[in-house]
Amino acid sequence: MRRAGPLRQRVRRLLRPARLGVLRHTSPLSDVWGFDRGTPIDRHYIESFLADHKEDIRGRVLEVQDSGYTDRFGSGVERRDVLDVDSKNPKATLVADLAAADAIPSDAFDCFILTQTLHLIYDARAALRHACRLLRPGGVLLATLPAVSRVSRGAAASDYWRFTPASASAMFGEVFGPERITVRSYGNVLAGVAFLAGMAREELSPRELDAPDEHFPVVVAVRAVKG
């Protein structure tokens, strides 16, 4: 792209002035993704994705850390299981590292809700292969991945990856087959800036949150079906 000259750049700044206001700080408004102000913006997109695919959350369902989304969006759920690498989690029914989950039987689950997790696993490909293995034929993986996010303060040493629709399509397609996955991005430049600053969903309008822009994804969501 050809760079504009100094005069044209000045005209653009005058026509579209950048007024940062309360965002003109080097520290965020919230240090916990906006939880202390309301609902984190990425949760808006995660919950929209799960609501759109709630018919998949049925039978025996696996979720990470707790069964909150299974309880909220599931219908016809026969059994809830919770996976965690931390054996101290009282809600965990299965304790394993998803990248090395050989002890968990194959073909066991009808649905696996895997939200905002793969970026915390260094060998994300191995984790995804196990996620597929754990599903029964016809089972559905509902996964969300961060495209934009602060580094996790509590797990900075294990916050490895950010994803784009292209990288998610390639990685999930390798495991499930490209014809068995659907990839969608959520977000826009305003939502991305607001999320990084720590604003909450309640501080943006639905129109602002839901205006899609594939060049500024905040969350990438994947529905993958095991063949």
Side-chain angles (χ1 to χ4, degrees), residues 78-92:
E78 298 168 3
R79 176 173 170 179
R80 295 161 172 79
D81 278 289
V82 173
L83 174 68
D84 201 336
V85 70
D86 185 3
S87 61
K88 297 179 182 178
N89 180 356
K91 299 178 181 179

Side-chain angles (χ1 to χ4, degrees), residues 123-224:
D123 195 348
R125 280 189 171 89
L128 190 55
R129 287 193 294 269
H130 278 290
C132 180
R133 181 184 62 79
L134 299 180
L135 289 169
R136 294 168 178 153
V140 178
L141 176 66
L142 299 175
T144 64
L145 314 156
V148 169
S149 180
R150 61 162 296 159
V151 171
S152 175
R153 183 175 295 279
S158 60
D159 193 340
Y160 297 108
W161 312 114
R162 297 296 179 267
F163 295 86
T164 64
S167 62
S169 295
M171 190 169 71
F172 282 74
E174 288 174 0
V175 175
F176 287 86
E179 73 284 358
R180 294 187 172 273
I181 66 169
T182 304
V183 179
R184 178 179 175 182
S185 65
Y186 294 82
N188 54 65
V189 65
L190 174 60
V193 170
F195 182 46
L196 287 174
M199 292 174 64
R201 174 177 66 186
E202 291 79 4
E203 295 175 277
L204 296 181
S205 70
R207 180 184 61 83
E208 291 169 329
L209 283 166
D210 295 330
D213 189 338
E214 63 181 8
H215 296 102
F216 293 92
V218 175
V219 169
V220 179
V222 183
R223 179 183 185 268

Side-chain angles (χ1 to χ4, degrees), residues 70-116:
T70 305
D71 298 338
R72 180 172 173 183
F73 296 105
S75 58
V77 176
E78 298 168 3
R79 176 173 170 179
R80 295 161 172 79
D81 278 289
V82 173
L83 174 68
D84 201 336
V85 70
D86 185 3
S87 61
K88 297 179 182 178
N89 180 356
K91 299 178 181 179
T93 60
L94 298 168
V95 177
D97 177 351
L98 186 57
D102 303 87
I104 303 176
S106 301
D107 304 327
F109 300 95
D110 298 292
C111 182
F112 187 176
I113 300 174
L114 187 65
T115 55
Q116 308 301 88

